[in-house]
Amino acid sequence: MAREQNRFVCQACGAVTGKWAGRCESCGAWNSISEEAGSASSGAPKSAGRGRKLETGSLAAVEAEPPRRLSGIGEFDRVCGGGLVPGSAILVGGDPGIGKSTLLLQVMAALAKSGARTLYVSGEEAAAQIRLRARRLSLETAPVALVTETSLKDVLATMEAKPAPDIAVIDSIQTMWSDALEAAPGTVSQVRAVAHDLVRLAKRTGTVLLLVGHVTKDGQIAGPRVVEHMVDTVLYFEGERGHQFRILRAVKNRFGPTDEIGVFEMTDKGLSEVSNPSALFLTARDQWASGAAVFAGIEGTRPLLVEFQALAAPTSYGTPRRAVVGWDSARLSMVLAVLEARCGMQISGQDIYLSVAGGLRISEPGADLAAAAALVSSVLGRKLPEDCVIFGEVSLSGAIRPVGQPEARLKEAAKLGFKRAIAPPGARLDGIEVATVDTLSGLVDLIREG
Ligand code: TYD
Ligand code: MG
């Protein structure tokens, strides 16, 4: 008889092989394969017989969607695309200790107070610990149903029992385990099976399912691809260590825009909403220095002003340092190359540090011009005007490309008291003096002339 062999599963993509390898052949991840109990061939169950003919229905006859549930926590509702869609599954990922449990407890308490049936399943903390957190948040009287359990079977039975909860939180998906599998909790096979069963049940009962997912060292939810494909919405809760701000970001949403962000502040009484984040990401004007530039950006559907800070200093290394926080290092290299090649700037002998103030991560190409302005300002030692915002995309030829929604950006700037802007051609707004630049060397001249 053949020896029962364990199988090897890639913890990044879920691919199953019969032997260990240093690199996963299907997704290319290194050192991601680990051994799990169960045989490689026992993956898909064999089913016998033919399928049955399904009843088809016309699209027009599908019932209109039931109304979304609003938690009343505006930043959270907006990131979800305007409230929670019944029957949908939402994955909330983030580093340990970033505040996922705090946020979800606050959301659940708000929903429970508005009359929704809620269920909070914790596999990580004891009831007493959760009560302690609730007391700190002044939410200990909120009618949230609480269970501490890790067995998937029992959790499913609890969620199925009538009346089914309107909203259920599973904190966290890695702690739940299905006894149908031999693999240990937290492995890809378990996470996939647990997510699959929970999502199916939620679709059937119309429960909104909020799954908490831990993030691995390299910033991915364990078994990311497998779970991200199963859920309707993926939210990441992020923040820089040492900063009070927390950002909830939608990276996938079947029911709303992605790139939407919600901004929170972690206080001693939990997370409070920051409804005017632009003010938060700008430093006090009396500390305004060379190397600072205010970017008028759009995050999701909302305009947001953030400050780019650059520092150029003579290098003491053979290869100068390029350090960047909150922006893409490849884009920094590109902007530096264009400044050298097209604008005659001498940068190669300098260390360059670039950071986005406040711990925010910017991924919009429209930030190129603001980053370039901060760099040029630092290299030339010339301050930019304090009341000026900047946006535009830089192409390799040194041309400045227009970006989306220039008017919304300028309006946000005007609202916060800015009087001037440097922008690609076509941007205008009453009350803001716009200097248009169509090449990067135009920007350099503008800063040089002051
Ligand atoms: P938590 O929600 O437990 O994080 P996660 O579930 O993502 O692991 O948050 C834990 C951190 O938040 C902890 O370091 C303490 C801090 N915190 C506050 O600062 N204020 C509060 O009111 C609460 C409840 C937590
Ligand atoms: Mg937690």
Side-chain angles (χ1 to χ4, degrees):
M1 202 181 97
R3 192 171 63 92
E4 180 65 23
Q5 224 185 356
N6 278 351
R7 59 192 194 148
F8 295 83
V9 183
C10 170
Q11 302 297 310
C13 72
V16 181
T17 59
K19 64 176 189 342
W20 190 85
R23 183 164 187 257
C24 172
E25 280 191 10
S26 44
C27 73
W30 285 96
N31 210 11
S32 63
I33 294 182
S34 67
E35 188 171 5
E36 291 183 8
S39 83
S41 55
S42 70
K46 312 262 181 303
S47 79
R50 287 175 53 145
R52 72 194 154 84
K53 153 94 175 61
L54 300 172
E55 286 298 320
T56 56
S58 98
L59 178 61
V62 178
E63 275 177 54
E65 66 167 290
R68 296 181 181 221
R69 287 197 174 269
L70 291 169
S71 70
I73 300 177
E75 295 290 293
F76 178 81
D77 291 338
R78 197 165 35 77
V79 173
C80 294
L84 301 168
V85 177
S88 67
I90 300 166
L91 177 67
V92 181
D95 289 330
I98 204 76
K100 300 180 294 298
S101 304
T102 306
L103 176 70
L104 291 180
L105 191 60
Q106 286 181 256
V107 167
M108 291 298 264
L111 285 161
K113 278 184 189 156
S114 72
R117 278 188 307 271
T118 54
L119 175 67
Y120 194 107
V121 181
S122 178
E124 308 215 315
E125 289 160 306
Q129 281 175 296
I130 300 168
R131 189 144 311 126
L132 211 63
R133 177 185 290 126
R135 184 167 317 142
R136 195 163 162 188
L137 304 170
S138 310
L139 295 174
E140 68 268 40
T141 56
V144 178
L146 180 70
V147 291
T148 52
E149 185 51 66
T150 56
S151 155
L152 178 67
K153 213 162 54 178
D154 297 345
V155 171
L156 288 173
T158 311
M159 282 177 60
E160 228 167 353
K162 298 240 157 32
D166 297 316
I167 302 107
V169 167
I170 307 293
D171 188 1
S172 65
I173 182 134
Q174 279 94 353
T175 53
M176 299 293 142
W177 63 278
S178 158
D179 57 6
L181 292 175
E182 291 172 58
T187 54
V188 165
S189 318
Q190 279 284 359
V191 168
R192 176 167 43 194
V194 167
H196 179 260
D197 287 1
L198 285 167
V199 169
R200 267 194 37 181
L201 178 66
K203 291 258 180 298
R204 212 171 66 225
T205 57
T207 302
V208 178
L209 184 67
L210 288 155
L211 301 170
V212 174
H214 284 296
V215 164
T216 56
K217 290 193 290 303
D218 35 352
Q220 292 191 313
I221 297 171
R225 279 161 227 164
V226 285
V227 183
E228 289 189 1
H229 285 163
M230 277 182 228
V231 297
D232 302 300
T233 303
V234 178
L235 308 178
Y236 274 92
F237 203 36
E238 8 173 272
E240 289 284 317
R241 300 236 168 269
H243 282 290
Q244 297 308 103
F245 320 128
R246 299 284 183 270
I247 288 151
L248 186 67
R249 187 187 292 277
V251 294
K252 163 183 173 178
N253 197 348
R254 286 187 185 144
F255 307 115
T258 48
D259 292 328
E260 191 74 78
I261 65 167
V263 184
F264 296 88
E265 190 176 359
M266 183 60 101
T267 68
D268 56 350
K269 293 197 169 52
L271 292 155
S272 62
E273 293 180 69
V274 178
S275 38
N276 184 6
S278 291
L280 195 88
F281 295 116
L282 302 174
T283 37
R285 301 288 93 180
D286 55 347
Q287 290 161 17
W288 191 247
S290 69
V294 177
F295 167 50
I298 300 274
E299 284 288 332
T301 56
R302 183 168 59 172
L304 183 65
L305 302 190
V306 278
E307 192 174 309
F308 273 77
Q309 297 168 344
L311 180 67
T315 184
S316 45
Y317 302 97
T319 318
R321 286 197 57 146
R322 304 281 182 252
V324 45
V325 177
W327 202 47
D328 184 14
S329 56
R331 285 206 90 86
L332 171 66
S333 306
M334 186 205 92
V335 168
L336 288 173
V338 177
L339 282 171
E340 289 223 307
R342 311 276 180 198
C343 313
M345 303 260 315
Q346 292 294 325
I347 304 172
S348 53
Q350 313 210 44
D351 288 338
I352 298 286
Y353 302 89
L354 184 80
S355 104
V356 175
L360 196 68
R361 249 205 91 76
I362 300 289
S363 53
E364 210 199 325
D368 293 352
L369 198 61
L375 291 164
V376 173
S377 159
S378 178
V379 171
L380 299 179
R382 296 196 71 101
K383 276 193 210 181
L384 291 160
E386 285 174 36
D387 57 355
C388 180
V389 296
I390 304 170
F391 59 90
E393 185 180 341
V394 174
S395 66
L396 286 176
S397 65
I400 307 300
R401 284 201 213 114
V403 292
Q405 308 187 45
E407 205 177 302
R409 297 169 198 262
L410 294 175
K411 274 192 186 143
E412 176 77 1
K415 206 168 85 190
L416 283 148
F418 287 80
K419 299 269 181 289
R420 287 186 262 187
I422 302 177
R428 73 179 75 79
L429 186 79
D430 286 344
I432 297 256
E433 184 191 319
V434 182
T436 51
V437 287
D438 49 12
T439 60
L440 195 54
S441 44
L443 174 79
V444 176
D445 293 341
L446 209 64
I447 296 174
R448 200 172 263 139
E449 288 152 18

